[in-house]
Amino acid sequence: MAGTAVRTRCLNPPRPAPAASLTYRRPFRHSGAGPGAFPPSPGQSEAALWRGRGLAASQLEAGQQGHSTVPKNRQLLQAADITEVSPGTECETETLQPLFRTCPCKSQARFPAGRSAKGSEGISCPSRCSCQYLEVNCTGQQLQEFPLDIPLDTRQLILAANNVSYLPAVELSFLADLVYLDCRKNLLGDDLDFTFIGVAKLVYLDLSFNNLTQVTFSTFSHLLSLVVLKISDNPNLVAIEKDAFANNTWLRHLDVSRTGLTFLDTSTMRDLPNLRLLGLSDNLWHCNCSFLDFITWMMESDVHFPDADNITCYTPAGLRALRMPAAEAQLHSSCLTQLHKQDYVFLCLVGFCIFLAGTTAAWLAGICAVIYEAHASKGEEEEEEEEDTAT
């Protein structure tokens, strides 16, 4: 049965013991001997096996029996928590010493999925998940919500193939050391802004096969250490803002394949100086004159494009299924040497506006000249009349 094991080094070599007493592959049932008991090995009575079972937890914590002191916040391991015990020089916790004679100090134990040894580390594993050292794996468990009780020192969290529709920013912020997060094949939507504000150490993020609709500056702006970002296979993803990756300067691998994107601004990619691999295949690219600058960047950059043969135009109909190099040649000839109908309309409108403005300005200038002339003539007549009166 899958589970977790907290291992520490045994101080002394193991003592020989009958093979039957080394491995038990089924959960142990409680007995009247104590909180949880193991079946005695051949030739060994239950009383002998549980010799010293009355040792109190405080005595274990004090480091009796020649073992190192156990912190007070640790709990004693119950026998019912163990499904398999095997010998060796790596053992479980100090509290197992009275139970096993195969190792003078400790023994190795495995725990059922969803449970853990609340012993040396005092941590637990989320229900229906399996835990290893610094890793929590909840793949394919039909989870509806973000799992609880994730160890705070987790570095790798895998939530693939579930039904999670929301990532709580507060719970994620507790996982400050998280560097790997796999959330592919879930139901995550467009409410991811400021979700990753507390996991600034994240290096790998997989959000493929979800329901993302857009990527804004606030979506990934706090992931300053991000190296790999996969947001492919989000058919409802139709927009990536111009400065969406402005803070992700360490990003080397970006995959936006098989989405609903029709356009990408060239400056969005130029914000990524370390980008080495970019997935763009099987999107709905609209190859018009506005997209020509991005296609030219693709042809001139050092970025590698996997499945480059599948990066084709979707619209207009005349360029459908055309690969980017061929589309660039056609767009150069059509966008730089020919004008479309709307361009002619725009030029006519501009010409009419200039003509109207010039005519209006000339009319106003003429009116001003006539008024000035009339005013000047009137002034001269008044002066002549005054001279005649004076004489």
Side-chain angles (χ1 to χ4, degrees):
M1 182 180 297
T4 57
V6 181
R7 300 180 177 181
T8 55
R9 185 176 298 277
C10 186
L11 300 179
N12 299 308
R15 298 177 185 175
S21 65
L22 299 182
T23 303
Y24 304 97
R25 299 184 180 276
R26 58 182 178 83
F28 301 117
R29 288 178 290 183
H30 291 273
S31 70
F38 294 90
S41 58
Q44 186 178 23
S45 65
E46 183 175 352
L49 179 66
W50 275 92
R51 185 176 51 188
R53 68 181 185 274
L55 193 64
S58 59
Q59 291 175 316
L60 287 175
E61 294 175 357
Q64 294 191 10
Q65 301 293 331
H67 305 305
S68 58
T69 303
V70 183
K72 291 185 178 181
N73 61 351
R74 298 183 182 177
Q75 303 178 15
L76 291 181
L77 186 68
Q78 300 297 320
D81 291 334
I82 302 175
T83 60
E84 182 177 346
V85 179
S86 56
T89 57
E90 288 187 336
C91 308
E92 180 52 45
T93 62
E94 291 86 348
T95 60
L96 285 177
Q97 191 275 335
L99 309 181
F100 298 99
R101 300 306 173 187
T102 59
C103 179
C105 60
K106 317 159 197 175
S107 282
Q108 176 181 336
R110 297 182 183 178
F111 303 88
R115 306 181 69 180
S116 68
K118 295 185 178 180
S120 61
E121 297 297 332
I123 61 175
S124 62
C125 188
S127 176
R128 293 189 287 175
C129 300
S130 61
C131 299
Q132 298 180 9
Y133 180 66
L134 303 180
E135 175 186 335
V136 176
N137 191 334
C138 305
T139 302
Q141 296 301 316
Q142 302 300 315
L143 299 178
Q144 303 291 329
E145 297 180 350
F146 188 80
L148 302 177
D149 299 326
I150 297 178
L152 300 185
D153 61 348
T154 299
R155 301 287 181 86
Q156 181 172 338
L157 176 59
I158 303 175
L159 302 175
N162 285 289
N163 297 317
V164 178
S165 59
Y166 176 70
L167 292 178
V170 175
E171 280 79 356
L172 273 178
S173 66
F174 294 147
L175 308 178
D177 293 327
L178 194 66
V179 296
Y180 185 105
L181 178 59
D182 185 351
C183 294
R184 54 192 163 89
K185 296 183 179 180
N186 277 280
L187 303 176
L188 298 175
D190 57 348
D191 51 354
L192 294 181
D193 286 358
F194 303 103
T195 296
F196 307 104
I197 191 171
V199 285
K201 296 181 181 179
L202 204 63
V203 173
Y204 180 99
L205 177 60
D206 192 343
L207 297 174
S208 56
F209 295 95
N210 278 280
N211 294 326
L212 304 184
T213 59
Q214 64 177 348
V215 176
T216 67
F217 174 77
S218 303
T219 306
F220 305 119
S221 60
H222 301 90
L223 302 180
L224 306 182
S225 302
L226 196 62
V227 174
V228 177
L229 174 61
K230 297 182 180 181
I231 52 178
S232 62
D233 297 281
N234 282 274
N236 297 320
L237 179 60
V238 296
I240 294 180
E241 285 188 359
K242 183 177 180 179
D243 57 349
F245 307 120
N247 287 356
N248 309 119
T249 54
W250 287 105
L251 197 62
R252 295 178 62 89
H253 181 177
L254 174 63
D255 192 356
V256 294
S257 302
R258 296 172 296 281
T259 66
L261 289 174
T262 61
F263 176 79
L264 268 180
D265 195 278
T266 310
S267 62
T268 304
M269 298 297 105
R270 287 177 178 164
D271 287 339
L272 304 174
N274 295 299
L275 189 64
R276 294 295 177 267
L277 190 147
L278 177 60
L280 300 172
S281 61
D282 298 312
N283 284 312
L284 309 178
W285 301 120
H286 181 50
C287 298
N288 58 3
C289 294
S290 300
F291 199 58
L292 177 60
D293 187 33
F294 184 82
I295 298 177
T296 303
W297 172 84
M298 289 178 58
M299 300 298 105
E300 297 176 353
S301 70
D302 296 330
V303 177
H304 174 63
F305 300 92
D307 297 331
D309 292 342
N310 294 328
I311 306 177
T312 58
C313 298
Y314 186 77
T315 55
L319 300 179
R320 177 167 294 186
L322 201 63
R323 294 174 56 193
M324 291 302 166
E328 183 192 25
Q330 290 203 20
L331 289 175
H332 265 294
S333 61
S334 61
C335 295
L336 303 181
T337 61
Q338 298 180 6
L339 296 177
H340 297 283
K341 182 184 297 184
Q342 58 267 28
D343 296 326
Y344 286 108
V345 173
F346 176 75
L347 289 177
C348 291
L349 182 61
V350 171
F352 175 75
C353 292
I354 294 175
F355 170 77
L356 182 62
T359 302
T360 304
W363 179 70
L364 291 175
I367 292 177
C368 291
V370 171
I371 294 175
Y372 175 77
E373 184 67 23
H375 181 73
S377 299
K378 184 177 180 180
E380 291 177 356
E381 291 177 356
E382 291 178 352
E383 289 179 358
E384 289 178 357
E385 290 178 358
E386 290 177 356
E387 289 178 357
D388 293 340
T389 302
T391 56

